[in-house]
Amino acid sequence: MNIQVVRPRDLGDSERARWRELQKADPGLDNPFLSVEFAVAMDRLRDYVRVAVISDGAGIAGFFPYERHNFGIGKPLGGFLTTCHGLIATPELNLDAKALLRACKLSVFDFDHLVAGQPTFAPYEQDVRPAPVMDFTSGFEAWIDQVKANSPKNLKTVRYKERKLGREQGELRFAWASADPEVLRTLLAWKSDQYRRTGRVDRFAQPWIVELTEMMHAEKSPDFGGVLTMLYAGDVPVAGHFGLRTATTLVGWFPAYDTEFARYSPGIVHHLQMAEAAANDGLHMVDMGKGGKEYKDWLKSGVLYVAEGRIARPSATAAVHWIGRTPFNKARTIVMDRPSLYKAADRVLKGFGRVRTSVQQQESPNVVKEASGAS
């Protein structure tokens, strides 16, 4: 095996074509975060993005996109922004993982959404988690029947709120694959507000993430692109989502809604309409990603599996990294496994968000008022 490390931008046309060929050949790799277009976009914005090109006697056997941070700390491409990572390779490719790290000049590689079961990384998987999906391969009606079987009460409640929203706020209209950048800005403003309200870090406070989202929104090709959806009541936007897709799979990324309409549960109403639009557009699946949101349990009609784990070469850097990361990862897993702990943690974060917003209002009332008006 020969391993050459390059920037994604330096891949030639034949190499990019081989990447797409490998991805299409394995259903387990049907995820836009594994697409060459995403790697190239990340490389345009971040200097630490690399890809290992793995060749054997017959040609290119695989690609390993990753981030190389200070001291040889390796992270999955996109890190906390993405819900899938791994090798884009022939299914039988089985490398010595530590030799791969050595070729990539990495001391350690920590992963939490790796495609489960890849031979190179399987020995280092410490936990495997289900990621719920909406599966439309048998048609939209078959999927909605599964949702009804999962929780008829929830579906009935959402349909009631959907009708109520239309009666009281204006006829509902759903926009699939909107190209309007102003609609995207509206959605991101809602999402930033949600991050602040719930005590999370506002990802869109980082300009490069905003730029990445805008770049992905502009991507339109048969095999890769951004999909912006918006639910309107009359002419007023009430809930939306921005995600990435391959030819057959849409991955959930940034859902949000206008809190003025919260009593109608517009986010779930939107998800039902997005599912129907996705199925009508020929998509086979919406990947909702692993996580502790209850609505995923009754919207799902199948699961994919992603793995958590860690690979390290003996070094002082790897030891320090273990001390800093492993206890946190274990604590996060415990919380995610127990609904009562997850809800308690969520309440604490939301309380922190309310306190932080209150302090900001006292310190800069005009700035907060303007920001609220924009969302």
Side-chain angles (χ1 to χ4, degrees), residues 204-237:
F204 298 112
Q206 300 187 53
W208 77 268
I209 296 180
V210 175
E211 187 174 355
L212 174 66
T213 307
E214 292 172 345
M215 288 168 58
M216 296 296 91
H217 182 222
E219 283 276 358
K220 305 294 177 188
S221 75
D223 295 326
F224 180 86
V227 179
L228 174 62
T229 56
M230 185 62 72
L231 176 66
Y232 294 85
D235 293 326
V236 179

Side-chain angles (χ1 to χ4, degrees), residues 50-234:
R50 299 290 186 273
V51 59
V53 182
I54 305 155
S55 302
D56 58 19
I60 295 177
F63 299 87
F64 176 55
Y66 65 96
E67 296 178 5
R68 185 181 187 278
H69 294 264
N70 292 337
F71 308 108
I73 301 298
K75 296 182 181 180
L77 182 66
F80 63 91
L81 281 176
T82 63
T83 59
C84 188
H85 40 259
L87 273 169
I88 297 85
T90 56
E92 67 277 7
L93 182 66
N94 189 358
L95 301 173
D96 179 329
K98 292 187 178 180
L100 176 62
L101 261 62
R102 182 167 57 252
C104 296
K105 298 183 179 179
L106 298 179
S107 299
V108 61
F109 182 71
D110 205 7
F111 55 87
D112 59 2
H113 289 80
L114 190 88
V115 176
Q118 292 194 325
T120 298
F121 299 118
Y124 300 92
E125 294 177 356
Q126 297 168 356
D127 199 8
V128 176
R129 299 273 157 177
V133 302
M134 307 180 199
D135 186 343
F136 311 127
T137 52
S138 297
F140 174 76
E141 293 303 326
W143 173 76
I144 204 71
D145 286 345
Q146 180 63 57
V147 172
K148 186 175 181 179
N150 291 345
S151 182
K153 183 179 178 180
N154 277 331
L155 182 60
K156 183 177 180 180
T157 299
V158 172
R159 289 306 195 195
Y160 167 76
K161 291 185 176 182
E162 182 179 45
R163 293 190 298 269
K164 185 178 175 68
L165 174 60
R167 285 196 310 270
E168 297 181 354
Q169 301 298 331
E171 183 178 359
L172 298 187
R173 174 173 61 88
F174 188 82
W176 169 261
S178 170
D180 190 343
E182 191 59 40
V183 174
L184 180 63
R185 283 191 283 271
T186 296
L187 177 69
L188 299 192
W190 289 343
K191 197 66 181 178
S192 286
D193 179 64
Q194 178 191 339
Y195 286 139
R196 294 191 296 267
R197 284 185 290 103
T198 57
R200 273 73 170 182
V201 174
D202 181 5
R203 295 177 179 180
F204 298 112
Q206 300 187 53
W208 77 268
I209 296 180
V210 175
E211 187 174 355
L212 174 66
T213 307
E214 292 172 345
M215 288 168 58
M216 296 296 91
H217 182 222
E219 283 276 358
K220 305 294 177 188
S221 75
D223 295 326
F224 180 86
V227 179
L228 174 62
T229 56
M230 185 62 72
L231 176 66
Y232 294 85

